Amino acid sequence: MNMTDTPKDNTGAKLGMWLFLFTELLLFGGLFLLYAVYRSEYSEDFHFAAGGLDIALGTLNTVILLTSSLFMAVSVAGVQKGDRKIALMSLSLTIALGIFFIANKYFEWSAKIRHGIYPGSEHLSGLPAGENIFYGLYYVMTGLHVFHVFAGVILLVVMMIMLKKNVIHAGDSARFENAGLYWHLVDIIWLFLFPLLYLIT
Amino acid sequence: MNPNYLNAERGIKSWLFTTDHKRIGVLYLAAMLIFFGSGVVLGLLMRLELIAPGKTIMEAQTYNALFTLHGVIMIFLFIIPGIPAVFGNFFLPILLGAKDVAFPRLNLLSWWCYIAGGVLALVSLFAGSGAIDTGWTFYVPYSIRTGTNVTLGLSAAFIIGWSSILTGLNFITTIHRMKAPGMTWFRLPLFTWALYATSWIQLLATPVLGITLLLVIAERYFGIGLFDPAKGGDPLLFQHMFWIYSHPAVYIMIIPGMGVISEIIPVFAHKKIFGYKAIAFSSLAIAFVGYLVWGHHMFTSGMSNTARIIFSFLTFLVAVPSGIKVFNWVATLYKGSIDLSVPLLYALSFIFLFSIGGLTGLLNAALAVDVHIHDTYFIVGHFHYTMFGGAGFIFFGALHYWFPKMFGKMYNQGAAKLAWLFLIAGFNVLYFPMYVLGWQGLPRRYYDYLPEFHNLQLISTIGSWILAVGLILMFANLLKALLKGPSAGSNPWGGLTLEWQIPSPPPVENFEQIPVISRGPYDYNS
């Protein structure tokens, strides 16, 4: 009702987004808490289990997400400076890299499942308890994360449509900047997941 | 007659898809009273089962489902969202001198999440493989193994959690960004401060519960093993993660109520509130300390002694800011010109009942005593005194205080006082015997008990009937006022805060012009 007669409060919109990102961090925080407890309880099992993860694929995905964050930042700068061509191009690259990440994750998971490593599998229940827990955390943490990547890609596609329709422009870019913040958050969470899961061998 | 928020638009759609914070507040109120009613009926049925030893009207399994659903509904659908969602939504923007909350559409989404979660919770009672029987705490490993509708119940709590998070986010942004010119932090009404502290807890604690509930669902479907001792998991971690949210959540329930008291008392004592800053900061202090005490729910779970002693000590600390508030309220009443109207009666009952609940809370906090009374009726008595006697009574108090503003009608004072008398009498007859029963060792959550507990159980059940009569009287009185009560006028109580300076019911945009604030909210003496 009062959307039209009062000027938009961009600082308020940003504040709201930062608060939301805070809740996302706490959502993952619960999982990091579990990780910390179980890693101190089963440090040796975690060490062996992590050796089974594909470091090359993990590194590739890290590079992909970091690059996508760069393009996202370029795209936001493009919108703010009124350069729609740069903004659209970088945004498309961000989205493409996001999809690339999801595809990689798909191949990584299916390879694991083909080897009989999934929650409740016979192979996994034959291993020591700590390795079972490690893979449980691996699936839950990367699963929740890839869900966020997926949501991020959809969000960015919506942003792209709004950008094309000129709903988002240099004078009204808070929504776009917020979408960018969300994408960076997804990236940052991965930057913690990657070493904690892949690099502890 | 100028159009107000109630008659500006008509039709069911203009309500269900409204972004007006006042209408959303009323939507919450309507939905909440339905859920509260269902919770009361479940409670009455449980009391009826306990009227005599042995099976009276239901099987043990039915009883398990009833106490679970009673808890889930009362906690997640009534007492947690209660005051913030109804009165916070309705009055926060008005108290700040704003036209709406910061994110009106997000606000509507919160209500829809709330309704979706509430409907799921009720459906889980009837659908599928039987009503949940885990208790509202969903403790593993039982919640992983039981064949009942746990997934549905967990999803309900998860969705309602998002409603709570989004409301908190909305309120924090609103308070930071939407204050009218001249409305400084220390000119905010204390209810606003209370909502601010509450919103931070909602924001910071609820996600932890969210992930915990998701993990239990994942555990049920995929058998990941994170909480399953057979697979190397630790069920105690579930309890930690559950209470990291659910203990702060009890302050989500109580702090807004304390905020309402801080509004009611100066108005009905016609006196400036004593210790404004102390009350404002004690809300934040309770919110902060409340984070550090979750372990006191787990004294008998096998934690280390060091952890238990630290949690016990920290729990005692909560009494300090709570005590500050009670002293300040009483000091405000001192030498005031007291008008013993219905809202003040509820505020005073809050102080009385919450003090009993709070002081018995200290008994629970004492480690050695708690080991004796853990999981007994003493705990049931304690949390009903704090939650129902505290938050519940002040919900009714807030309803009587703001009803004339929200609907522009005045209710019958005599009938309201009679209802209050039934409520407070019924409440004490219902819950006080539970303290004694618990002290004598009666464990909670059983549909049967030994014959020596019969007398007190009988008294308690009779109390539940008196309480029910009080509730019916109260709601009938308010309903009658809504339909054909006399016009209330814009300021029936002589309040100084902003909501009393605009017409009742408020116009759609709240203020014709955004007000400029030049004084504090309770300057009765100047």
Side-chain angles (χ1 to χ4, degrees):
Chain A
M1 47 167 233
N2 54 13
M3 302 294 282
T4 46
D5 60 350
T6 44
K8 281 195 180 173
D9 178 10
N10 286 341
T11 315
K14 285 270 190 59
L15 176 63
M17 191 63 193
W18 278 105
L19 292 173
F20 176 73
L21 297 184
F22 214 171
T23 68
E24 290 278 17
L25 283 184
L26 283 157
L27 190 77
F28 278 94
L31 293 176
F32 284 119
L33 178 74
L34 285 180
Y35 177 92
V37 171
Y38 286 129
R39 181 158 166 211
S40 77
E41 197 174 334
Y42 301 114
S43 48
E44 207 149 294
D45 289 346
F46 268 46
H47 175 80
F48 284 119
L53 296 184
D54 190 336
I55 294 188
L57 216 48
T59 312
L60 179 62
N61 261 350
T62 310
V63 173
I64 288 173
L65 269 196
L66 276 175
T67 318
S68 79
S69 255
L70 171 68
F71 284 124
M72 189 69 230
V74 171
S75 181
V76 169
V79 169
Q80 285 168 337
K81 296 207 158 88
D83 192 336
R84 265 163 46 93
K85 211 176 133 198
I86 288 277
L88 276 172
M89 205 173 71
S90 329
L91 187 61
S92 328
L93 282 169
T94 313
I95 293 172
L97 286 169
I99 294 170
F100 195 14
F101 178 93
I102 297 171
N104 265 343
K105 195 93 271 181
Y106 169 77
F107 289 121
E108 195 185 348
W109 272 34
S110 20
K112 283 274 162 304
I113 291 169
R114 255 202 319 280
H115 288 108
I117 299 174
Y118 53 88
S121 71
E122 253 178 68
H123 175 73
L124 214 50
S125 41
L127 294 175
E131 298 200 30
N132 189 31
I133 293 289
F134 176 86
Y135 277 106
L137 280 170
Y138 164 77
Y139 276 107
V140 171
M141 292 173 106
T142 58
L144 190 66
H145 177 260
V146 83
F147 175 79
H148 278 81
V149 176
F150 190 69
V153 167
I154 292 175
L155 180 70
L156 293 185
V157 169
V158 173
M159 287 296 130
M160 185 130 126
I161 295 168
M162 291 175 103
L163 197 55
K164 278 194 170 150
K165 287 187 174 165
N166 220 15
V167 184
I168 290 170
H169 49 80
D172 184 5
S173 61
R175 251 178 305 202
F176 197 72
E177 289 166 38
N178 279 345
L181 284 177
Y182 180 81
W183 191 256
H184 294 317
L185 173 93
V186 171
D187 183 16
I188 286 171
I189 290 173
W190 177 257
L191 286 184
F192 284 88
L193 290 181
F194 174 60
L196 287 179
L197 293 172
Y198 292 77
L199 300 182
I200 57 167
T201 53
Chain B
M1 199 175 100
N2 288 327
N4 58 51
Y5 81 100
L6 287 170
N7 60 19
E9 282 179 273
R10 295 206 173 273
I12 185 93
K13 262 180 138 174
S14 76
W15 279 91
L16 291 182
F17 300 104
T18 181
T19 52
D20 180 347
H21 66 100
K22 298 180 289 299
R23 284 196 164 198
I24 291 176
V26 174
L27 284 177
Y28 269 114
L29 179 63
M32 205 167 282
L33 291 181
I34 294 171
F35 293 129
F36 176 71
S38 338
V40 168
V41 170
L42 295 175
L44 287 172
L45 288 173
M46 280 154 64
R47 278 315 323 169
L48 195 57
E49 165 58 36
L50 294 169
I51 196 168
K55 183 190 158 197
T56 318
I57 57 164
M58 64 184 80
E59 298 293 337
Q61 183 61 23
T62 317
Y63 184 80
N64 294 346
L66 288 199
F67 75 65
T68 303
L69 255 294
H70 173 78
V72 169
I73 289 175
M74 287 305 201
I75 287 171
F76 291 115
L77 291 166
F78 176 59
I79 215 98
I80 287 183
I83 290 174
V86 177
F87 303 107
N89 259 318
F90 199 105
F91 288 105
L92 175 65
I94 301 180
L95 289 171
L96 296 175
K99 290 184 172 179
D100 208 319
V101 292
F103 308 113
R105 280 177 296 182
L106 198 65
N107 205 14
L108 180 64
L109 178 68
S110 304
W111 183 76
W112 276 103
C113 284
Y114 171 79
I115 290 298
V119 169
L120 266 188
L122 287 184
V123 165
S124 79
L125 187 55
F126 303 107
S129 44
I132 324 170
D133 57 350
T134 59
W136 78 277
T137 48
F138 305 115
Y139 269 18
V140 296
Y142 184 67
S143 62
I144 298 174
R145 285 173 197 159
T146 173
T148 53
N149 268 334
V150 176
T151 308
L152 218 49
L154 292 171
S155 317
F158 181 77
I159 295 169
I160 300 164
W162 278 107
S163 157
S164 185
I165 290 174
L166 295 178
T167 303
L169 183 158
N170 217 338
F171 283 5
I172 293 176
T173 313
T174 306
I175 294 171
H176 274 278
R177 300 295 304 169
M178 313 273 284
K179 295 190 288 297
M183 179 63 89
T184 56
W185 281 93
F186 292 118
R187 282 179 187 162
L188 289 177
L190 286 163
F191 180 53
T192 319
W193 272 102
L195 286 176
Y196 187 66
T198 310
S199 299
W200 275 109
I201 312 179
Q202 286 177 300
L203 200 74
L204 297 182
T206 319
V208 182
L209 178 76
I211 190 66
T212 313
L213 300 182
L214 282 185
L215 283 171
V216 176
I217 294 177
E219 203 71 49
R220 283 178 69 85
Y221 279 112
F222 305 112
I224 297 167
L226 292 177
F227 295 137
D228 190 346
K231 294 177 177 169
D234 185 353
L236 211 57
L237 266 177
F238 170 86
Q239 293 187 24
H240 278 295
M241 288 177 70
F242 181 82
W243 288 114
I244 284 175
Y245 164 76
S246 297
H247 193 76
V250 311
Y251 301 112
I252 298 179
M253 309 173 199
I254 205 72
I255 292 176
M258 293 171 154
V260 176
I261 308 260
S262 309
E263 295 300 315
I264 291 178
I265 283 188
V267 170
F268 291 89
H270 298 286
K271 195 162 158 262
K272 190 172 178 171
I273 192 117
F274 182 85
Y276 173 95
K277 284 190 182 173
I279 294 183
F281 286 128
S282 60
S283 289
L284 296 178
I286 293 177
F288 175 70
V289 181
Y291 270 98
L292 309 174
V293 301
W294 77 85
H296 67 219
H297 294 270
M298 303 163 59
F299 281 160
T300 60
S301 68
M303 277 193 308
S304 77
N305 267 333
T306 322
R308 296 202 298 172
I309 290 166
I310 291 171
F311 277 125
S312 172
F313 172 73
L314 288 170
T315 305
F316 281 111
L317 284 186
V318 182
V320 177
S322 311
I324 289 175
K325 280 185 192 287
V326 172
F327 281 119
N328 281 322
W329 293 328
V330 176
T332 307
L333 289 169
Y334 177 67
K335 285 190 177 169
S337 106
I338 291 172
D339 170 13
L340 204 59
S341 290
V342 184
L344 187 65
L345 283 177
Y346 279 104
L348 296 178
S349 340
F350 173 100
I351 298 179
F352 175 68
L353 299 175
F354 184 76
S355 297
I356 297 178
L359 290 172
T360 50
L362 290 179
L363 292 182
N364 300 334
L367 190 47
V369 183
D370 185 75
V371 171
H372 172 64
I373 54 183
H374 185 87
D375 244 341
T376 66
Y377 269 64
F378 194 87
I379 304 294
V380 182
H382 160 71
F383 67 69
H384 279 94
Y385 264 84
T386 49
M387 292 302 117
F388 188 7
F393 264 69
I394 201 55
F395 184 89
F396 302 149
L399 196 57
H400 284 90
Y401 177 57
W402 277 316
F403 184 90
K405 176 56 63 183
M406 293 171 82
F407 303 105
K409 300 286 181 61
M410 185 50 93
Y411 47 85
N412 182 314
Q413 300 289 317
K417 283 182 184 172
L418 184 68
W420 167 81
L421 197 64
F422 269 95
L423 281 175
I424 190 144
F427 179 90
N428 284 297
V429 176
L430 167 55
Y431 295 112
F432 199 80
M434 293 190 182
Y435 280 128
V436 185
L437 285 167
W439 202 258
Q440 292 171 347
L442 177 62
R444 63 193 276 214
R445 291 181 167 172
Y446 287 97
Y447 87 128
D448 192 9
Y449 53 86
L450 294 172
E452 62 248 42
F453 298 118
H454 184 205
N455 285 340
L456 285 170
Q457 289 276 32
L458 179 63
I459 293 172
S460 178
T461 300
I462 293 170
S464 73
W465 299 335
I466 305 174
L467 188 74
V469 172
L471 286 173
I472 292 168
L473 273 178
M474 181 183 76
F475 286 120
N477 187 34
L478 290 178
L479 194 65
K480 190 173 155 237
L482 191 63
L483 297 177
K484 46 186 179 184
S487 176
S490 66
N491 193 357
W493 316 120
L496 291 184
T497 37
L498 281 175
E499 80 273 36
W500 303 112
Q501 318 310 324
I502 58 173
S504 314
V508 177
E509 300 256 306
N510 298 346
F511 303 96
E512 275 177 33
Q513 269 182 315
I514 294 296
V516 178
I517 314 299
S518 56
R519 56 168 177 76
Y522 314 108
D523 286 351
Y524 283 92
N525 311 354
S526 53

